[in-house]
């Protein structure tokens, strides 16, 4: 049986490892848009700060896939799926047949509606390609503005400070990491960041990134401006459902997505599940799937534990299509 996994991130890697562990007569193909092996995105800030090399965050080497007969299609984007024909179309115009298909395309950066996002020197903070671009410009830069006061923004700001840049961290709300901590904890965190030399600006709405072709300054809605050599957007992520929509598949959001994952074979895996499990940052909650809160990260971690029955269905049940 031929199983195709679309996506080469942490979620798909965890799935492939489990399929290999379970064994059976399965031919596994993995399609990944990035031209790299699967890597642990949690450590992107460590790459940026120079604490780790890319080779240290790669999850599995080429030899692992060769040993287990897994075919990697690196740098091949899947453009469309034809479920009724059990075919998928890649960006090079090739059609690939499958018996079972798993879409594990993860997420992509959430980019706020800010003027001037097309300027040179503006980056998101999601992939190793983003990090390499930031590192290259950082060598000839003095100041960076990081937009976004969530976990990614904080990690990026600290990494940039570690390599010697003057760093401003800008956040729309008056509380850092507002989804997880309260005002008191935010004030303590702000003080800690300022202790590292990071300038933290709260309740600041970024209106425009100003410059000719390259960024030169950032303008806020209150009229204040900050000169800068680069801008990093770290304002969260959104599910990458482009392929599903292009293929006419039903896309479900909010809590119904989690319930569908557990009940119906886990057709789409969120990148959050293996990320949280691999990071060991969260403790497992003593909750059943029916009581999971849709916005609770520990609950999302719990959902990953219920993928094992779903994996068995991939190898034994009729196709979802």
């Amino acid at each position: 049986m031929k199983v195709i996994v679309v996506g080469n991130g942490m979620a798909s890697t965890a799935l492939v490892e489990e399929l290999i562990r379970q064994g059976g007569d399965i031919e596994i193909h993995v399609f990944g848009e990035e031209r790299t092996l699967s890597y642990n995105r949690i450590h992107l800030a460590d790459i940026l700060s120079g604490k780790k090399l890319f080779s240290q965050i790669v999850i599995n080497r080429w030899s692992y896939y060769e040993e287990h007969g897994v075919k990697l299609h690196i740098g091949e984007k899947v453009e469309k799926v034809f479920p009724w024909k059990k075919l998928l179309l890649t960006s090079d115009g090739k059609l690939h047949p499958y018996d079972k298909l798993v879409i594990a395309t993860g997420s992509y950066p959430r980019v706020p509606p800010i003027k001037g996002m097309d300027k040179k020197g503006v980056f998101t903070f999601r992939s190793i390609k983003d990090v390499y671009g930031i590192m290259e410009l950082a060598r000839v830069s003095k100041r960076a503005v990081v937009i976004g006061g969530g976990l990614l923004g904080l990690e990026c700001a600290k990494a940039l400070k570690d390599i010697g840049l003057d760093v401003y961290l800008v956040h729309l709300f008056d509380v850092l990491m507002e989804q997880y901590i309260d005002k008191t904890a935010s004030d303590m965190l702000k003080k800690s960041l300022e202790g590292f030399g990071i300038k933290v600006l709260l309740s600041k709405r970024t209106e425009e990134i100003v410059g000719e072709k390259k960024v030169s300054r950032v303008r806020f809605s209150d009229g204040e401006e900050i000169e800068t050599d680069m801008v990093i957007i770290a304002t969260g992520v959104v599910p990458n459902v482009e392929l599903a929509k292009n293929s006419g598949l039903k896309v479900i959001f909010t809590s119904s997505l989690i319930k569908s994952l557990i009940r119906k074979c886990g057709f789409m895996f969120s990148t959050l599940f293996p990320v949280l499990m691999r990071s060991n940052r969260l403790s497992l909650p003593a909750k059943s799937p029916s009581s999971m809160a849709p916005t609770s990260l520990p609950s999302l971690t719990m959902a990953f534990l219920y993928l094992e029955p779903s994996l068995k269905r991939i190898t034994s049940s009729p196709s979802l299509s």
Side-chain angles (χ1 to χ4, degrees):
M1 179 175 62
K2 184 176 181 180
V3 176
I4 290 184
V5 181
V6 181
N8 189 32
M10 296 174 68
S12 67
T13 301
L15 169 65
V16 169
E17 288 174 348
E18 182 62 20
L19 287 173
I20 291 171
R21 188 188 70 79
Q22 291 188 9
D25 185 19
I26 305 176
E27 177 187 345
I28 304 172
H29 290 249
V30 180
F31 286 79
E33 187 174 350
E34 289 188 75
R35 297 182 180 275
T36 65
L37 290 168
S38 179
Y39 55 91
N40 190 333
R41 295 182 190 274
I42 294 168
H43 293 295
L44 286 178
D46 292 330
I47 302 293
L48 181 56
S49 65
K51 294 177 182 178
K52 290 183 181 291
L53 300 173
F54 177 69
S55 60
Q56 293 176 286
I57 70 170
V58 170
I59 299 173
N60 290 316
R61 310 294 174 185
W62 279 104
S63 57
Y64 173 85
Y65 297 100
E66 291 173 353
E67 177 185 350
H68 295 286
V70 177
K71 175 63 176 177
L72 286 181
H73 301 260
I74 299 298
E76 294 188 42
K77 181 181 180 181
V78 177
E79 298 285 355
K80 192 171 184 179
V81 176
F82 303 94
W84 59 94
K85 294 183 178 180
K86 290 191 176 181
L87 291 171
L88 60 80
L89 175 68
T90 56
S91 53
D92 59 3
K94 294 180 180 178
L95 288 170
H96 297 264
Y98 63 84
D99 295 305
K100 297 292 178 69
L101 175 69
V102 177
I103 298 178
T105 45
S107 56
Y108 60 89
R110 182 193 301 275
V111 179
I114 300 172
K115 296 179 183 177
M117 286 291 297
D118 58 339
K119 299 283 191 298
K120 184 179 179 181
V122 180
F123 303 91
T124 53
F125 188 62
R126 176 64 180 166
S127 69
I128 190 64
K129 182 180 178 181
D130 294 332
V131 172
Y132 284 154
I134 294 169
M135 291 172 68
E136 183 178 357
L137 186 56
R139 295 189 184 100
V140 292
S141 299
K142 294 182 179 179
R143 178 179 291 174
V145 171
V146 178
I147 299 175
L151 181 59
L152 282 179
L154 269 59
E155 289 185 338
C156 181
K158 179 60 167 58
L160 289 168
K161 189 64 184 177
D162 287 345
I163 59 176
L165 270 66
D166 181 28
V167 179
Y168 280 80
L169 177 65
V170 180
H171 193 44
L172 178 63
F173 303 104
D174 63 347
V175 175
L176 293 167
M177 296 182 65
E178 70 283 349
Q179 294 186 47
Y180 314 111
I181 62 176
D182 61 13
K183 184 67 165 61
T184 301
S186 172
D187 291 342
M188 295 171 64
L189 179 57
K190 179 175 180 290
K191 185 176 181 180
S192 177
L193 291 170
E194 290 172 340
F196 292 127
I198 299 170
K199 302 171 184 67
V200 181
L201 304 180
L202 300 179
S203 300
K204 281 284 189 182
R205 181 183 295 275
T206 306
E207 188 172 85
E208 184 176 2
I209 297 171
V210 184
E212 293 280 338
K213 295 182 179 180
K214 181 183 181 299
V215 57
S216 61
R217 62 190 187 277
V218 173
R219 179 180 299 145
F220 302 107
S221 58
D222 59 5
E224 183 182 355
E225 294 186 356
I226 296 177
E227 292 185 355
T228 187
D229 300 302
M230 67 168 68
V231 176
I232 296 89
I233 308 296
T235 49
V237 296
V238 293
N240 182 1
V241 296
E242 177 187 8
L243 174 60
K245 287 185 174 180
N246 289 346
S247 305
L249 302 176
K250 184 177 181 180
V251 177
I252 311 169
F253 291 99
T254 68
S255 60
S256 56
L257 171 61
I258 306 301
K259 294 175 183 177
S260 293
L261 284 171
I262 296 171
R263 292 199 309 260
K264 298 182 180 179
C265 308
F267 187 62
M268 296 190 74
F269 296 118
S270 169
T271 305
L272 275 174
F273 302 157
V275 166
L276 296 174
M277 292 298 292
R278 289 181 185 276
S279 68
N280 293 319
R281 294 185 180 185
L282 297 174
S283 59
L284 297 178
K287 292 184 179 182
S288 64
S290 60
S291 65
M292 291 195 305
T295 58
S296 169
L297 289 182
S299 295
L300 290 175
T301 309
M302 192 65 176
F304 182 70
L305 300 180
Y306 285 84
L307 289 181
E308 185 171 358
S310 300
L311 291 168
K312 292 180 180 177
R313 294 191 186 99
I314 290 174
T315 62
S316 62
S317 67
S319 172
L320 289 173
S321 59

